[in-house]
Amino acid sequence: MAARLLRLRRLLRAASPRPFSAQASPLQTEQHGTKRPEPSSAKSLTDIGTRRIFSSDHDIFRESARKFFQEEVLPFHTEWEKDGQVSRELWEKAGQQGLLGVAIAEKHGGIGADILSSAVVWEEQMYVNCTGPGFSLHSDIVMPYIANYGSEEQIKRFIPEMVAGKCIGAIAMTEPGAGSDLQGIRTYAKKDGSDWILNGSKVFITNGWMSDVVIVVAVTNREARSPAHGISLFLVENGTKGFIKGCKLNKIGLKAQDTAELFFEDVRLPASALLGKENKGFYYLMAELPQERLLIADMALASCEFMFEETRNYVKQRKAFGKTIAHLQTVQHKLAEMKTHICVGRAFMDNCLQLHADKRLDSSTASMAKYWSSDLQNNIATQCVQLHGGWGYMWEYPIAKAFVDARVQPIYGGTNEIMKELIARDIVSDK
């Protein structure tokens, strides 16, 4: 069904010079704006058909994505947590369903939809509380670098296979001694004729163990006037001599997500492995990081919505003192506080999504979204575990997994302390 829908959308795009996001059907017109309920007044925070930024086309896509995550991911996630990775079969199924490379232009081999359609995939993954599949990083962090800065040869080689789920992507920024400070990286690529010789190591790399292609951030000019002027990006394929994958890292959360150390020992790369221009890598990173932070923020908010609904259902069933604990005023007030905070966060988050869809989201605003949403996610997780009582501490309960998975959100993608620094810098700047 999803494949047929995507083929139909491609026909619609071919028949009209307007982009996908600009097409308006009668159904879309009927359901736009004030006629679409906001989450605060909907029966559930995860209802389909809410939120004014979306259209009926997004709703249809959301139904397809929700069915996929409920049927193809949720039943198998516990086993993948034991394995420390999802299956390769899942990646190919996601490709067949049109859930990978959603916002990548059709001319590059992508689905060609808008960023709001990508957000549907991010949110639906969080609504099943399954953090294993690294689809969002693959589709909306790694692929844009290739689509935006890659050569025609690189785009043709990687994008179609990545959309099909047959080539899994990762990006290697973080090092043992350099996390949020990208200018502190030590991985070095030295020219050798027309080739490059790459040496260094990376850590905490999502999709690292299963990756088929990795974007590696490396220093290429140690004499540059600042580290930012001497960084480049390289495409390194799995199986390249000297490229070694360390073990899957044993994390406290994200158990089904393969996270690995990567080592590069005299890796010889051809000139064609350089992504974009030499020594321009830092600027590419700065241009793409707002979308990464937006992605983290939206997934954090979606997790809050999931945790709230999970907890609401629990307190309406759990009995104490002869009645359900939902009858206790202190529990009711806590639910009221949480829903209010989530809905306020969702309003800002949806504004950021719309700004990004209009190509108007700036770095400072994206940083606000990332810091606020990930902090809120951890706050909501703590309160929801408390409302579950002792059962909230049991691994088989979804809220326990959501609790530990939330903890990394304020850390990766740039720590929340760095987010505040970026926001403050914009506030006090005289420019």
Side-chain angles (χ1 to χ4, degrees):
M1 177 180 175
R4 291 198 299 272
L5 177 62
L6 289 168
R7 284 198 293 270
L8 175 61
R9 285 175 174 170
R10 285 171 179 158
L11 288 173
L12 288 170
R13 287 194 297 273
S16 172
R18 293 177 296 175
F20 169 76
S21 59
Q23 295 177 11
S25 67
L27 274 175
Q28 283 177 299
T29 304
E30 287 174 15
Q31 296 190 32
H32 256 118
T34 56
K35 294 187 179 182
R36 293 178 68 89
E38 290 302 312
S40 57
S41 57
K43 183 178 180 181
S44 164
L45 294 180
T46 62
D47 277 356
I48 295 175
T50 63
R51 299 161 58 190
R52 72 191 74 174
I53 65 170
F54 291 118
S55 69
S56 58
D57 274 358
H58 293 116
D59 295 341
I60 295 169
F61 184 57
R62 187 181 289 277
E63 288 172 358
S64 174
R66 182 165 296 188
K67 184 173 186 288
F68 177 86
F69 281 108
Q70 288 177 343
E71 295 181 359
E72 302 292 346
V73 179
L74 183 58
F76 312 103
H77 204 262
T78 298
E79 192 61 35
W80 292 333
E81 287 170 359
K82 297 174 184 175
D83 296 339
Q85 65 182 76
V86 303
S87 67
R88 278 202 167 262
E89 181 185 14
L90 175 69
W91 280 90
E92 295 194 23
K93 285 182 178 179
Q96 291 163 8
Q97 284 291 107
L99 298 179
L100 302 177
V102 172
I104 299 298
E106 189 178 5
K107 67 181 180 181
H108 293 325
I111 302 302
D114 59 2
I115 195 64
L116 298 180
S117 300
S118 285
V120 166
V121 181
W122 308 339
E123 293 165 7
E124 289 305 317
Q125 180 172 342
M126 300 312 291
Y127 289 164
V128 293
N129 198 37
C130 294
T131 52
F135 298 159
S136 57
L137 179 131
H138 168 90
S139 295
D140 300 299
I141 297 177
V142 177
M143 290 178 70
Y145 281 99
I146 300 174
N148 294 337
Y149 310 113
S151 65
E152 185 177 351
E153 177 190 352
Q154 289 169 336
I155 291 170
K156 287 181 177 179
R157 181 171 182 179
F158 293 110
I159 295 294
E161 289 290 288
M162 295 177 81
V163 170
K166 295 179 179 179
C167 175
I168 299 172
I171 184 164
M173 297 188 208
T174 304
E175 297 183 3
S180 296
D181 180 16
L182 289 175
Q183 297 191 55
I185 66 170
R186 294 290 177 265
T187 297
Y188 179 55
K190 182 181 180 181
K191 269 277 186 68
D192 184 35
S194 62
D195 292 346
W196 295 89
I197 306 298
L198 180 68
N199 281 283
S201 65
K202 301 290 182 176
V203 71
F204 310 140
I205 307 305
T206 302
N207 294 346
W209 182 257
M210 297 183 71
S211 62
D212 297 298
V213 62
V214 182
I215 298 174
V216 179
V217 182
V219 173
T220 45
N221 182 3
R222 288 174 168 167
E223 307 303 321
R225 66 178 184 270
S226 76
H229 291 86
I231 290 175
S232 301
L233 308 182
F234 294 90
L235 291 167
V236 181
E237 295 183 64
N238 186 35
T240 302
K241 185 178 180 181
F243 173 25
I244 303 164
K245 296 179 180 180
C247 61
K248 285 178 281 188
L249 299 174
N250 187 19
K251 310 179 296 296
I252 65 170
L254 308 182
K255 291 289 189 179
Q257 191 178 100
D258 64 298
T259 310
E261 290 180 288
L262 304 179
F263 302 93
F264 307 93
E265 299 177 358
D266 291 327
V267 177
R268 181 172 290 274
L269 299 171
S272 59
L274 179 67
L275 181 61
K277 296 181 180 179
E278 183 180 340
N279 297 324
K280 294 295 183 181
F282 187 80
Y283 302 98
Y284 300 153
L285 293 169
M286 292 302 101
E288 299 300 325
L289 278 172
Q291 178 159 303
E292 177 178 350
R293 287 161 184 164
L294 179 74
L295 178 160
I296 293 170
D298 193 36
M299 295 182 83
L301 243 302
S303 177
C304 290
E305 290 160 343
F306 164 80
M307 289 187 286
F308 176 83
E309 295 301 337
E310 187 74 14
T311 303
R312 173 172 35 187
N313 292 337
Y314 179 81
V315 299
K316 289 171 72 175
Q317 296 173 16
R318 175 67 171 169
K319 289 188 175 181
F321 310 108
K323 55 186 176 182
T324 64
I325 61 174
H327 284 86
L328 299 173
Q329 188 181 62
T330 185
V331 172
Q332 293 175 0
H333 285 188
K334 186 59 65 178
L335 291 171
E337 290 171 4
M338 287 196 294
K339 184 174 181 180
T340 300
H341 289 152
I342 293 168
C343 290
V344 169
R346 172 51 71 192
F348 178 61
M349 188 67 248
D350 280 2
N351 182 59
C352 290
L353 286 169
Q354 188 61 62
L355 284 172
H356 194 46
D358 297 337
K359 302 188 185 305
R360 296 194 296 125
L361 181 69
D362 59 36
S363 176
S364 179
T365 306
S367 297
M368 292 179 193
K370 193 269 181 183
Y371 129 64
W372 175 264
S373 298
S374 58
D375 267 11
L376 179 64
Q377 181 184 7
N378 279 268
N379 181 276
I380 296 295
T382 298
Q383 295 183 69
C384 287
V385 167
Q386 188 71 19
L387 288 175
H388 275 72
W391 295 112
Y393 202 64
M394 297 297 104
W395 187 250
E396 64 265 28
Y397 275 69
I399 198 65
K401 297 180 182 181
F403 176 81
V404 294
D405 288 349
R407 189 58 193 88
V408 76
Q409 292 276 84
I411 298 173
Y412 60 18
T415 65
N416 282 6
E417 290 74 20
I418 294 296
M419 297 303 99
K420 293 174 186 178
E421 182 70 21
L422 295 172
I423 297 163
R425 191 181 301 169
D426 189 61
I427 293 170
V428 301
S429 173
D430 293 327
K431 292 182 181 179

